[in-house]
Amino acid sequence: MKIIFTAGAKTEIGWHFLLKMYSTLVSEAEKLEILEALASTDDVGNLIRLMQTGLKGIQIRSQDLSIIISTVSQTLPGHLLAWDFVKENWKQLTRKFHSGSFTIQNIVTSATRQFSTEEHLREVKAFFESMSEETAQLRCVQEAIETIQLNIQWMDINLVNLEKLLL
């Protein structure tokens, strides 16, 4: 069913149908599949709408927001979009979820795990440092920074070889 849901979410009509279907389902497994399909669309407007809906917690449960952000961040149009959403809504996110919570940990980790440049590293550090000393010292923030640094190191070591293989 996940493949069918994902294919359906690629069209505007299918995406809206699945969002409506999500609200009526009882099965948690099917809800999760639909949520991941909705977050897999290439439509940036629908991705933003989905993350905002998850943050509001009305049509989509707030506790599912980390799943949405994680799935959105795995798509080509979504990995920067997810990070922008986290930055723009950080205060609201930390009011809704405790700053040391598992949900915040998942949101920070998933929104930054694709980053592999010095520019992104500086941006992530600067953002969390601008929030507060306490925020910058959160374990999930430190882990996100470490992951970005490891991604940069991996790219430094392997990018040239990958380019040679692909050419």
Side-chain angles (χ1 to χ4, degrees), residues 101-121:
S101 71
F102 185 70
T103 302
I104 289 291
Q105 178 182 346
N106 283 342
I107 288 171
V108 170
T109 301
S110 61
T112 59
R113 74 171 158 237
Q114 300 286 343
F115 293 165
S116 58
T117 66
E118 291 289 340
E119 181 181 332
H120 282 128
L121 178 62

Side-chain angles (χ1 to χ4, degrees), residues 55 65 86 89-97 104 107:
L55 183 58
L65 182 59
V86 170
N89 295 285
W90 182 253
K91 289 182 180 167
Q92 193 173 350
L93 287 166
T94 54
R95 275 194 304 269
K96 187 172 276 283
F97 310 107
I104 289 291
I107 288 171

Side-chain angles (χ1 to χ4, degrees), residues 12 59 71 147 157 164:
E12 189 71 19
Q59 191 173 9
T71 306
T147 298
I157 294 168
K164 287 178 186 175

